[in-house]
Amino acid sequence: MNARETNVKLWDDIYHSSNIGMSYPNDVLVRVSHRLLNSEKHKKILDYGFGGGADFIHFCRKGYQVSGVEISESAITQLKSKLESMGVSPDLQLLTDGRIPFPDNSFDVVVAWQVLYYNDWPGFFAAMKEINRVLRSGGIFLGTMGAVGDFSHTHSRALGDHLYESTVPGQEGAVVIIVDKDNLSKCFPNEKLTIGEFGYDFGQYHGKHWIISYEKGANL
């Protein structure tokens, strides 16, 4: 299997075997999106790789029109059930062969939070090409990348060229991209980036992630 096939199987197995969706959204995403977005100017959001769906539900409750794509059919089934119990009719689509099943310029915002670095380089750049295709001119991209020192970095085997094979329990074999700050402009070429970071260190666990945002079509 290639990196994409490995990652798809791993995450679908995880979501199929148990409901690991968090009951609350990512606190950093809540704060950053509150400052960066508003539901009048940025009405339509695509949650790219929504996982357990807590962030998706947060944006719904804030009044945005939210759609989602996932590589895991099990994740789609679980989130659809949650949303329907809330009286929400969700637009959740399966991400097949990397293609986002929405027309060009469909969204004001694409959020890809703690998902894009589960890729190899061809998969990553193909994902970003699709994200930019469905993001309208002047729209906002908001995402993260794994940083050196993250748990997924320290618990992995180096493959070269910033690629690693995960040894994180439950994620063994996943291919991840880990970069330092100087590499971010190469990940997102020709974009005027706003860069931040967040992390934590508690007991045996430690996280470190880059925050990346840009406006599509903004001049460098």
Side-chain angles (χ1 to χ4, degrees):
M1 289 190 292
N2 60 30
R4 172 180 166 76
E5 291 169 339
T6 298
N7 288 354
V8 168
K9 183 178 186 307
L10 183 148
W11 285 108
D12 197 53
D13 287 348
I14 288 173
Y15 286 111
H16 180 73
S17 62
S18 62
N19 186 343
I20 65 168
M22 296 178 69
S23 60
Y24 55 89
N26 182 274
D27 61 318
V28 177
L29 176 58
V30 170
R31 294 198 299 270
V32 171
S33 61
H34 177 74
R35 290 166 172 77
L36 191 63
L37 310 177
N38 70 74
S39 57
E40 293 301 317
K41 182 178 179 181
H42 307 110
K43 294 181 179 181
K44 298 182 67 176
I45 293 179
L46 176 67
D47 191 347
Y48 183 97
F50 52 76
D55 298 333
F56 189 107
I57 291 170
H58 166 73
F59 286 121
C60 287
R61 287 173 170 165
K62 295 294 289 185
Y64 295 96
Q65 300 173 31
V66 192
S67 301
V69 292
E70 247 297 340
I71 60 174
S72 167
E73 292 189 61
S74 298
I76 291 173
T77 299
Q78 291 181 15
L79 181 56
K80 183 178 180 181
S81 177
K82 291 179 187 176
L83 291 168
E84 288 178 346
S85 71
M86 298 166 52
V88 177
S89 299
D91 187 2
L92 307 178
Q93 302 292 333
L94 185 66
L95 193 62
T96 304
D97 295 329
R99 182 167 177 80
I100 298 173
F102 290 99
D104 296 1
N105 307 309
S106 291
F107 298 99
D108 302 308
V109 180
V110 176
V111 174
W113 201 258
Q114 294 182 289
V115 60
L116 284 172
Y117 59 96
Y118 286 95
N119 262 311
D120 58 10
W121 286 115
F124 172 80
F125 286 116
M128 289 309 305
K129 182 178 180 181
E130 277 294 285
I131 285 171
N132 280 321
R133 179 183 65 79
V134 300
L135 182 63
R136 68 165 173 81
S137 180
I140 299 294
F141 169 79
L142 177 59
T144 62
M145 290 292 287
V148 172
D150 183 62
F151 196 77
S152 59
H153 172 232
T154 59
H155 291 69
S156 65
R157 180 175 66 88
L159 301 176
D161 195 22
H162 305 285
L163 296 176
Y164 295 81
E165 182 180 311
S166 178
T167 59
V168 173
Q171 298 182 20
E172 294 92 344
V175 177
V176 295
I177 299 170
I178 303 293
V179 295
D180 56 31
K181 189 173 183 179
D182 291 341
N183 297 120
L184 292 175
S185 61
K186 298 176 183 178
C187 298
F188 304 92
N190 306 314
E191 304 294 354
K192 186 177 181 180
L193 302 180
T194 299
I195 297 171
E197 61 182 288
F198 70 97
Y200 64 93
D201 192 344
F202 184 76
Q204 63 177 317
Y205 298 103
H206 43 274
K208 186 174 181 182
H209 301 270
W210 301 114
I211 306 169
I212 303 98
S213 182
Y214 62 82
E215 179 183 323
K216 182 180 175 181
N219 294 326
L220 290 172

